[in-house]
Amino acid sequence: MTHIPPPAEELRILDAELWQLDARRAQLLARRALLVGRLQQPFPPAPPAPRRPETTAPRVQNVLLVLGGVLLTVAAIAFTLVSWGHLGIAGRSLVLGAVTAAALGAPVPLLKRGLRSTAEAVSALGLALTVLDAYALHEVALRATDGTGYAAVAAAVLAGVWGAYGRGLGSLRMPFPAALAAAQLPLLLWAVAAGAGPYAITAALLLTAGFDTVVALRTPLRSVRIAAAVGAYGMGGWGVLAAGLLSWEATGPGAAARAAALLTLAAAIALGVAWRAPKPGLATGTAVTGGLCLVAALGGIPRATLPQVWVTPGYLAFGVALLAAVRDPLPEPVRRGFARASGSVQVLAVVWALPLVVVALLGPFAWTGRVWSGVPSDLRAAVTVWAPWPAGTATAPLVLAVVAAVLAWVARTIPAWQVRATTGAVVTAWATVLVLPSTLELSYPVGMFLQGLTAVVTLAVAAFARRAPASVTALLLSLLTAAGLALLALASQGATLAVLAALTVLFGLAAVRRRPAGVCASASLAGATGLACAVGAAAGWPTAHTALLVLAVPAVAALLAARFPRIAVPAEATAVVAGLVAIGLALTDGPALALVLAVCGVIAAGTAVRAERRQAGYVAATLFVLATWVRLGSWAVGAPEAYTLPVTVPALVVGFVRQRRDPLASSWTAYGPGLSMTLLPSLLTAWGDADWPRPLLLGAAALALTLLGARHRLQAPLVLGGGVLVSVALHELAPYLVQLAGALPRWLPPALAGLLLLALGATYEQRIRDARRVREVLGRMR
């Protein structure tokens, strides 16, 4: 058995152990302070690191060589341009030839000694001097020749000489890029010197780009390959832009054919790069460029001969034809590039047709300001009330239909693109049907029928589509079509009633399907709301009476939400909107507004019966109170109690029930809001009332409330009732206090105040004790 010492002995043991702990803690704190002091002492400075050079020796060498070569070149140019005239012809030739030969020959011994960088710098100086030699030769012996032609010949000769010089030395890198740079000029300068037109100059640019492309693909030297690629992109880019501009500005078949030949040449160069390029990304990009050049070339010929409306369909036809080239014999990057080029052409064609779609979609909004003003002559007139019809877009439906067919083919043949292509096909097919009636200027009834049929078809696709993206897209398109149809129907009373009824039934039937149930139910209820407004307007009813008809929609929505939980949220949201519409219609008629608010309260109260919608009870109570207030206001009732008591009584009942269920609930929470709702407005009114019935009744009610609070020990009724009772008493005694103050001498109030202070000071302790007792009594109340 465990031995338990007596209390005195156990206390002694505990004291000893606590003393040991205190001693150990003091020792540890002292050691900690010592270590902190050592850490705060500055450490001896570390020896400075050796200074590192800011650059390397090879970099210094290269900079010096480059600067030296540049300075020598500048000096040679200055000598040639400034000091040339001071020497005779023999001296000039001797000096310049000797300097050039020395500069070109110096790299040979430098390379033998291993001074490669110096040899590169000196060779660059020699190449620059050859340019000066060519200039000097023209100025001395060939001044009569054409400068541009001479420059073309000189550039060709220099390119050949520099290439041979680089091949002769072998290990120098500078001559080959320099020769390639000089080779960019001969064809272009020859074309300019010969007075050639823009087609020849563009051909010179493209041929130069083709030469650069061949060099870039076949040379093993990286420096030459980079220089050739830069030349190919630069000259080829300018050439393609010039050829495209010529094709766009061509006014006849001959000019269009010449521009097409240039674009075909550019396409051949790009496709050659795509076929031979080692990197897939480069191959795909050049294949896209080649495909676009082919489309521009082939589409430019019919553009110059056909009417303007067929320009975009012509380009689109050749863009779609690119897909026929996407076959297995072609490399994968080329096929991918052709597909992207075709897609780019189709996107541009859709963008061209987009303004027509915008007009057809947004134009019907104009009828909101011209309700039942008369049926337009055709559907184009119906959608162009505000915006003008875009010119030259007669073939837009054809363009959209072709793109939709291509996307459908892609969705069927390429599994990876099935979802995106299917969505795009649905959208473009819908846009085709949307703009077709307006483009053909069909009659108003026929156009309305086609748009209604479009809404039905898109809604069917949304209901039965297997994939969610296509279903969501089709559902959105059906809603847009239905909205446009409803707006167009505003032109005629009969059309409005028929279309709104048809849309209500259509979306109501679609709500049976599980996938679009919520959105379709909301759309059906929205259509029913509009139908109710239209029926009331057609019958000639006042707007307040139409509001009562609109309330049928929230009632039906509440029933549907209770019966079908999956559509509860959208149905209830639409019901709220319909209720607000009804309230807005009844704003000008007080009794009707009160009735509308009361009916809305009944609907909200019915919704609050459901366990998951208990919060709707607060909305119902608010609506009932508002209905009561509106009714009282329409009766010109001015007594505040008539407005506050309908709120106070239910609030007190709710507070009573809550306190019965929760005995710990405070009386301020249970009864405070309800009592304040009536007592405070009544008190404010009583203070401004000169008659006696209101203060008497209010005082009696406050006295009864005070006694009730004291009887049941409830703080809120006691404090509120007592405060109101004292305020009413002061209100009643105020006239007499004013008369008494006028009759008393002026020295009496200060004297009474002094006596009061003396009395309070004499009985201060007793007063404090009494206040504490009152606080304790109130604290024991709930």
Side-chain angles (χ1 to χ4, degrees), residues 573-601:
T574 310
V576 171
V577 175
L580 293 176
V581 171
I583 293 173
L585 292 174
L587 282 177
T588 57
D589 191 337
L593 178 60
L595 181 57
V596 168
L597 291 171
V599 174
C600 290

Side-chain angles (χ1 to χ4, degrees), residues 419-436:
V419 175
R420 286 172 285 185
T422 301
T423 303
V426 171
V427 174
T428 49
W430 168 80
T432 303
V433 179
L434 181 67
V435 302
L436 185 60

